[in-house]
Amino acid sequence: MIARILATAIIELHIARRNLWVVIAVGLMVVFSLVLSAVGSAPIGELGADRLSVTVASLTSLSVYLVPLVALLMSFDAVAGEAERGTLPLLLTYPVARWEVLAGKLLAHCAILIIALVAGYGAAAAIAIVNDPAAMSGIGALWRLTWTSSLLGATFLGIGYALSSLARRTSGAAGLAIGLWLGSVVLYDLALLAAVVADNGGSFTKNVFPAALLANPADAFRLFNLTASQAGGVAVGIGGAAGTIPQWQSLMSILLWPVFALWLASAAFRKVEP
Amino acid sequence: MTSTLTISNLTKDFGGVKALSEVSMHVAPGERVALLGHNGAGKSTMMKVILGLIAADSGEVSVCGAAPGDADARSKVAYLPENAMFHSALTGLEQISYYMRLRGEDSAGAMALLDKVGLGAAAKRRIGTYSKGMRQRVGLAQALIGHPRLLVLDEPTSGLDPVSRRDFYELLDALAAEGAAILLSSHALTEVEARTDRLLILSRGRMVAEGSLAELRRDAALPVAMHITAINGYDADILAAIPNAIRVNDAVHVTCSQDEKLATLAQVAAMKGKIADIEVIPPSLEDIYSHFSRRDGQ
């Protein structure tokens, strides 16, 4: 079982390396992290927080958009691509379980994502620490951001595999992935904000809104990091709600989402008839 | 001997269209069986059911004593799809190493396997640069991994040149000699005629004929043709002597049933002073195949 998962992971790493996914993912994370850390260094004097914590707060806002995007871009092709290339029927006649195939792909894609995260966050952190030696005190926040980003990535990889299985065609899977990304990280928050404004402090804001934030893996990720961060004050919008939701709840959402997404993926893949 | 593959009363329906109806067959260890049929006759569907890729609606399938698609069955069955496809970014060596690991084999043997199918020199090139024939050989190499008890090969020689085809059948013969059961589909009739033990003909999802070529030839009872070349001036005599003879260009053509073959030959032999040459043409495999396929209304 382990050997088959590893074999699949190795072959996926070969493919990702040749398709330049590793370069693209790392490049995206590094460039955006550096840009944000340059922009995000402005409010430092007023807050009195260490520079790295401020950088982490900026990176959190960046990762909410970028990590799901990179994860979906890597995963939308996973099943639909194999089906379209015609490689899926042969693979499924091998003595390998479908979940093992997905686990192998997940392992490879997670590895690439983690490399990209470490490179991006590392570059931003290095700049913060070089400019402000006191920034070392924010290293805990950076570590927290890194592992939660990895879990967020795993969630969207799983969702991407599920979409890929449901769509059967890469064009359809790509459309679904982009739609899901827009919906979950952009429109979802806008809709919630609009509802909160319209509700004007009523029962929606008190009861439904916190649950709605926790139900979205991207929002739960942002909540958790901002609740934990000392520099939560620099966050705006949804982040303002961070104080009202206990940290353990957002943590549970972060931990449960990858499990649910992978269950979803494997259920959808099981239904694929090559 | 127990069969490696046994199918009884297999039926598969795609949205009201019967892809397979009441198909029964078996393949014994060491036996090479060819599956013939028009495009859409149900060959690929039958193979996919055997491999467990799609489920049958009714009927029973036993693959090496297990249900199709079982982990146990999959570990003993090799498949070569029609137009074998692989990820173009991978090299032949990487692809075969991967398949070997999935079968629990040591991937160190990948190079030897590629050498065996004549891809040793191209092993480290990306499959995207391969020709169709080379891709087909990668497909063949993966079908040889381990010691499969059953090989299911969907048009295995399409895209291969004549020399590669001969090499391919030699590999198959060696596998069959070791006890592997082989089920292959093909449109190259002359090829399977010489290289398989038994033929199955599917038409519109039904098994319309089964047996060795000699058996099918006998069952079909197709007419035998004779082309007679007369010595100058004697063709009129021959046309008069043999009632159903006709003149085609410079030759005399006679068609008779299998039963009348010897009697007709005796008539011809009686006129041996007037005949320069005679050619007896038995019904070809194509004729026999068409006979069984058409009988079903095609």
Side-chain angles (χ1 to χ4, degrees), chain A residues 112-123:
Chain A
I112 295 163
L113 200 67
I114 289 170
I115 291 169
L117 289 174
V118 168
Y121 296 168

Side-chain angles (χ1 to χ4, degrees), chain B residues 77-91:
Chain B
V77 179
Y79 172 48
L80 174 57
E82 183 184 0
N83 297 323
M85 296 301 289
F86 306 97
H87 200 293
S88 56
L90 297 170
T91 68

Side-chain angles (χ1 to χ4, degrees), chain A residues 27-48:
Chain A
L28 265 179
M29 284 310 297
V30 170
V31 168
F32 276 93
S33 299
L34 289 181
V35 168
L36 255 191
S37 76
V39 174
S41 58
I44 193 171
E46 303 150 34
L47 286 162

Side-chain angles (χ1 to χ4, degrees), chain A residues 1 7 14 19 43 47 69 100 118 133-134 137 148 202 237 247 250 253 259:
Chain A
M1 178 189 88
H14 280 309
N19 285 350
L47 286 162
L69 183 66
E100 289 171 342
V118 168
S137 60
T148 51
Q247 200 183 345
S250 52
S253 176
V259 178

Side-chain angles (χ1 to χ4, degrees), chain A residues 4 7-8 10-11 14-15 17-19 85-87 89-96 273-274, chain B residues 48 51 53-54 74-75 79 81 85-87 89-91 94 98-99 101-103 126 142 145:
Chain A
R4 291 190 292 268
T8 307
I10 290 168
I11 213 78
H14 280 309
I15 293 171
R17 192 163 48 85
R18 303 254 165 79
N19 285 350
R85 274 195 302 278
T87 52
L90 180 58
L91 180 61
L92 294 181
T93 64
Y94 271 76
V96 55
E273 217 174 61
Chain B
K48 286 186 172 175
L51 294 160
L53 291 175
I54 53 180
R74 279 187 286 166
S75 68
Y79 172 48
M85 296 301 289
F86 306 97
H87 200 293
L90 297 170
T91 68
E94 285 164 351
Y98 174 48
Y99 285 136
R101 289 195 193 107
L102 287 186
R103 285 210 184 275
R126 292 188 195 188
Q142 63 81 28
I145 294 171

